[in-house]
Amino acid sequence: MDSDITLSKLLLKEPPDKADEIIKLDTFVNSFKSEEQYSSDIYSEIFINLVETRLELIKEAEPDYMYIWKAFQATRLLTRNKNIQSFMYKEKHIKIYETILDKLVKTKSTMKAVECIIIELLTIVKRYLYPEAIDIDILKKEKFVDIIINSSMVDNMILLLSSDNVIILKLLKYLFKPVLQNEHIISKFTKTSTIESMIQNIKKENMEITVIILDLIIILIDHSEFRNMFMFLGGYLVLITILKNHSKIDKESLSKILFLVQTMYKNEENLGDTINSSVITNLFDILLNSTNPDYLVNKIILNIFSAF
């Protein structure tokens, strides 16, 4: 407890003694065992001081990313506490997260710490959208979603879809779900650059990444503007190409790809886009040359041909 009081006071020191704070923050993070230890008001003070005085330091011309990372680690742990969750919905804090994410996405730094900070920040934002405290006012969560929708946060999260970091992509999937109920946000996903990023990630042949992107596409595929642009940019062909190796794909992933393939060919406005030599060649190749034929895959392909 004494070390925590010392940390709370240290976080108010200006200018910050970063070397000393890193040691104290490390001790705080490493001593974390359970949220029961956050029963005192001192931890509320640490949370406020971290968010309002230390995370803001990323606005510096040349921020100390390692130091900011340590501050974010402690902040993320504190947001697990149900008592802190009850008062952390301050618009001021949310604006700080927005500014930080904007800075991180636009930075050209290749430091691993930058990626780690992004993970910590997205985890914190996720906790705002999915709080563990059952007594959180639903209006607070809804207001937070509205703030995200009307901020640059979504735009920067969309830019992160080009990332090949599985943890970042998993967090984005959770963060996008509540905001994708908004038509304005859906329109952001119809941009060529956004869909191209999603298609490129599918083409990386990392099934863990592919499944995350597929889950997002499944949410978006009912919207004709997204569906048409996805088809136009070759997304359908990419899905068909993945099916060529269907014997190596787990059943859950395969079912998602098949669902998307079916959904797109069942929409008449897309049929013209699917009828091209590359798609037809790949479909025939799957039917005729598969060493381990799958009944459902073949049935759907035959259904596609019957629709032409």
Side-chain angles (χ1 to χ4, degrees), residues 84-267:
I84 287 176
Q85 286 183 7
S86 66
F87 72 82
M88 69 184 186
Y89 287 86
K90 292 184 178 180
E91 190 163 347
K92 177 182 180 181
H93 292 181
I94 297 165
K95 290 296 181 184
I96 291 172
Y97 300 142
E98 177 188 359
T99 302
I100 293 171
L101 184 60
D102 190 63
K103 173 94 175 182
L104 292 170
V105 171
K106 290 182 170 66
T107 183
K108 294 182 179 179
S109 173
T110 57
M111 287 181 64
K112 185 69 176 176
V114 172
E115 195 171 69
C116 291
I117 294 170
I118 290 174
I119 290 172
E120 298 288 355
L121 190 155
L122 293 178
T123 303
I124 291 169
V125 175
K126 178 188 171 187
R127 206 153 278 153
Y128 277 76
L129 294 173
Y130 304 94
E132 296 168 20
I134 59 175
D135 59 340
I136 295 295
D137 187 344
I138 189 68
L139 293 177
K140 287 183 179 180
K141 289 184 284 187
E142 290 178 353
K143 183 180 179 182
F144 183 64
V145 172
D146 287 339
I147 291 172
I148 290 180
I149 288 171
N150 294 300
S151 72
S152 65
M153 204 175 283
V154 171
D155 295 308
N156 283 313
M157 288 193 297
I158 287 173
L159 290 174
L160 287 171
L161 282 174
S162 61
S163 171
D164 57 4
N165 185 297
V166 174
I167 298 175
I168 288 177
L169 291 172
K170 281 183 177 178
L171 286 165
L172 289 174
K173 184 180 78 170
Y174 281 106
L175 296 174
F176 281 134
K177 278 186 178 180
V179 301
L180 279 175
Q181 309 302 316
N182 182 281
E183 289 293 329
H184 171 65
I185 297 302
I186 290 171
S187 68
K188 293 178 181 288
F189 279 83
T190 62
K191 293 181 179 177
T192 300
S193 57
T194 302
I195 297 176
E196 284 179 339
S197 291
M198 298 171 82
I199 291 173
Q200 287 304 313
N201 253 337
I202 295 174
K203 291 167 71 175
K204 287 176 182 175
E205 297 183 355
N206 179 323
M207 281 311 298
E208 196 170 6
I209 290 177
T210 296
V211 169
I212 295 170
I213 301 300
L214 289 176
D215 284 338
L216 279 175
I217 295 172
I218 287 171
I219 297 172
L220 293 160
I221 203 66
D222 283 338
H223 300 273
S224 60
E225 193 175 353
F226 173 86
R227 187 170 60 244
N228 293 339
M229 186 58 70
F230 183 80
M231 300 282 287
F232 177 74
L233 294 172
Y236 194 84
L237 177 58
V238 172
L239 294 177
I240 296 296
T241 303
I242 294 174
L243 283 180
K244 291 176 70 173
N245 298 312
H246 62 79
S247 61
K248 299 177 182 178
I249 303 174
D250 65 273
K251 289 296 182 183
E252 182 182 0
S253 303
L254 182 61
S255 67
K256 290 176 181 179
I257 295 170
L258 292 175
F259 170 79
L260 289 171
V261 169
Q262 287 185 95
T263 300
M264 281 183 267
Y265 88 72
K266 283 180 179 178
N267 286 275

